[in-house]
Amino acid sequence: MKKLNWPLMKNNISREDLDAVIKFLKARDDLILTQGKNVREFEKLWSEWLGVKYSVLVNSGSSANLLSILAIREMYGLGEIIVPSLTWVSDIASVIQCGFKPVFVDINPRTLGMDNELVLKKITPRTKAVFLTHILGYNALSQKLLDELRARKIPLVEDVCESYGATFKGRKLGTFGLISNFSFYYAHHMSTIEGGMISTNDSNIYEMVRMFRAHGMVREAGSASLKASYQKKYPDLNPDFIFAYPAYNMRPTEISAVIGLSQLKRLDGNNKVRSKNLEIFLQNLDSNMYQTEFETEGSCNYAFVLILRQPNPLFAEKVMKVLRAYGVEFRRGTSGGGNQLRQPYLRKIVGDREYKKYPNVEHIHFYGFYIGNYPTLETKKIYELCDILNNLKK
Ligand SMILES: Cc1ncc(COP(=O)(O)O)c(C=O)c1O
């Protein structure tokens, strides 16, 4: 048996990126390396790439989640936030940590994102935001959801950590919500070692998040008039040390920004390869055995989602065994491990039976797998893997 040697991600920080770091480090002595010029430049180019006015680089995608929900609390007050049952832990943790009640919604199997009709059903007068995750490259938005949220004045936060470059109606995901989040963890479309981005068109949110990122300090805001207004109101305080919010230190380093700037140049090209790979994967899987009907328009992932058509535990074991045997790294339950409501941190809050109410995510939990899709993945390996999977006996 010839192994496929197929990790979840490969070469996501390239020689070129490291050379850019070395060049930067060698350029002069006495480097400080904390957030500075390169961070600002990366934020600017990222905003241009995405098509928004403002972006704030932080030290992880989870930090981006937390600071975004903090901004929602600051602007709209406490209440409920509608969240998916399939997402990364920090999407739910941020909601809980900020004092909101998470209200869960099952997924649409064709997008893996929240079922938009169910989202609308869960809206109450207490709803303060919808925090939606675009799962592994698939757009989770519909025009109806966007229209309804706008009509009801409910802010949308988009988690695009797994889907950047993907579009809805030709427009990039992350430009529809009031705030959007991105992760630059190694396994994602781009990596800055660790890192995350918060993007928005709202200048108030932008200023707030800049302060949240650095201890709530007013001097970290961009607006001179905002700083002046605090100084006028608090003349007893040293202007260098005015803390507007009880916040965090989630600053990035210059090294992350230098890598990000180098990576951004390759992002669109890499994403084209990834989309082509997905097409090959879905076209060659046996649709009697595996789900192949996804809403792929505008999709852009860094991992294939393999979903068994039938809830067959023995067949799932066979699939996992063969993936291991061929050296294909995978994650059962997809990236967040499946149904978040089964996790101990949530059972303490919602009880031990709540997870049963979300049948679509339950299927993914046991019969959904994620497999790497990186730009240097050889096409012939995708055909080989599809053959191997298609020849498995149920
Ligand atoms: C949807 C989603 N949101 C947030 C995160 C958190 O990002 P990070 O790992 O950079 O903290 C991840 C995962 O890595 C994710 O997949």
Side-chain angles (χ1 to χ4, degrees), residues 222-262:
S223 152
S225 63
L226 182 98
K227 288 189 238 193
S229 72
Y230 272 101
Q231 287 168 20
K232 194 164 170 227
K233 194 164 173 198
Y234 301 96
D236 57 320
L237 295 176
N238 173 351
D240 285 336
F241 294 115
I242 303 178
F243 299 98
Y245 303 99
Y248 304 94
N249 179 356
M250 290 178 171
R251 284 185 298 235
T253 69
E254 284 286 271
I255 291 178
S256 288
V258 168
I259 298 176
L261 284 165
S262 170

Side-chain angles (χ1 to χ4, degrees), residues 9 12 60-61 88 161 164 182-196 370:
M9 181 54 68
N12 210 9
S60 73
W88 186 249
C161 291
Y164 41 99
F182 301 83
S183 162
F184 303 126
Y185 180 63
Y186 184 77
H188 293 231
H189 294 74
M190 255 175 63
S191 175
T192 59
I193 309 177
E194 296 279 0
Y370 116 57

Side-chain angles (χ1 to χ4, degrees), residues 80 82 119-128 152 154:
E80 297 173 353
I82 300 178
V119 173
L120 295 176
K121 283 195 186 132
K122 294 269 171 121
I123 291 175
T124 72
R126 296 178 299 283
T127 306
K128 298 296 178 180
R152 299 182 199 196
I154 295 173

Side-chain angles (χ1 to χ4, degrees), residues 60-63 65 87-88 90-91 133 159 161-162 183-185 188 194-195 302 335:
S60 73
S62 314
S63 299
N65 292 155
T87 185
W88 186 249
S90 55
D91 291 66
T133 305
D159 184 328
C161 291
E162 299 180 2
S183 162
F184 303 126
Y185 180 63
H188 293 231
E194 296 279 0
Y302 56 77
S335 53

Side-chain angles (χ1 to χ4, degrees), residues 270-330:
N270 282 349
N271 282 353
K272 273 201 190 107
V273 180
R274 291 180 168 116
S275 298
K276 185 84 204 130
N277 287 348
L278 174 67
E279 215 178 290
I280 298 170
F281 183 69
L282 289 179
Q283 275 172 4
N284 285 280
L285 273 183
D286 182 339
S287 58
N288 291 316
M289 300 166 79
Y290 308 101
Q291 180 185 323
T292 52
E293 63 284 11
F294 293 95
E295 289 180 17
T296 52
E297 196 187 326
S299 77
C300 179
N301 67 27
Y302 56 77
F304 303 135
V305 185
L306 178 73
I307 302 174
L308 311 192
R309 188 145 312 270
Q310 301 299 332
N312 179 340
L314 289 178
F315 186 54
E317 280 304 325
K318 267 191 193 167
V319 168
M320 289 190 276
K321 202 170 155 199
V322 83
L323 290 174
R324 284 190 198 105
Y326 278 92
V328 179
E329 201 179 358
F330 67 92

Side-chain angles (χ1 to χ4, degrees), residues 62-233:
S62 314
S63 299
N65 292 155
L66 184 56
L67 298 194
S68 300
I69 299 304
L70 208 54
I72 293 290
R73 186 176 79 189
E74 204 56 46
M75 290 183 75
Y76 297 89
L78 282 173
E80 297 173 353
I81 294 191
I82 300 178
V83 291
S85 44
L86 181 69
T87 185
W88 186 249
V89 57
S90 55
D91 291 66
I92 314 297
S94 57
V95 166
I96 298 168
Q97 285 158 359
C98 288
F100 289 96
K101 180 178 180 219
V103 173
F104 290 90
V105 167
D106 203 357
I107 57 163
N108 169 353
R110 296 170 77 97
T111 67
L112 307 179
M114 285 198 274
D115 179 322
N116 284 196
E117 292 297 329
L118 293 178
V119 173
L120 295 176
K121 283 195 186 132
K122 294 269 171 121
I123 291 175
T124 72
R126 296 178 299 283
T127 306
K128 298 296 178 180
V130 170
F131 189 10
L132 176 144
T133 305
H134 302 287
I135 295 287
L136 292 170
Y138 293 117
N139 163 52
L141 292 169
S142 63
Q143 194 56 49
K144 184 174 175 192
L145 180 69
L146 290 171
D147 292 344
E148 289 282 338
L149 294 182
R150 189 169 302 121
R152 299 182 199 196
K153 296 192 170 52
I154 295 173
L156 170 71
V157 182
E158 284 179 90
D159 184 328
V160 201
C161 291
E162 299 180 2
S163 304
Y164 41 99
T167 56
F168 172 51
K169 294 189 171 173
R171 200 171 119 190
K172 282 200 180 100
L173 301 184
T175 61
F176 293 91
L178 177 65
I179 316 176
S180 58
N181 298 162
F182 301 83
S183 162
F184 303 126
Y185 180 63
Y186 184 77
H188 293 231
H189 294 74
M190 255 175 63
S191 175
T192 59
I193 309 177
E194 296 279 0
M197 196 73 92
I198 299 163
S199 295
T200 184
N201 283 313
D202 185 297
S203 59
N204 289 330
I205 289 179
Y206 171 61
E207 294 297 355
M208 222 187 275
V209 169
R210 278 178 67 132
M211 291 187 267
F212 289 165
R213 169 176 70 176
H215 309 287
M217 268 192 298
V218 169
R219 75 166 129 108
E220 293 284 334
S223 152
S225 63
L226 182 98
K227 288 189 238 193
S229 72
Y230 272 101
Q231 287 168 20
K232 194 164 170 227
K233 194 164 173 198

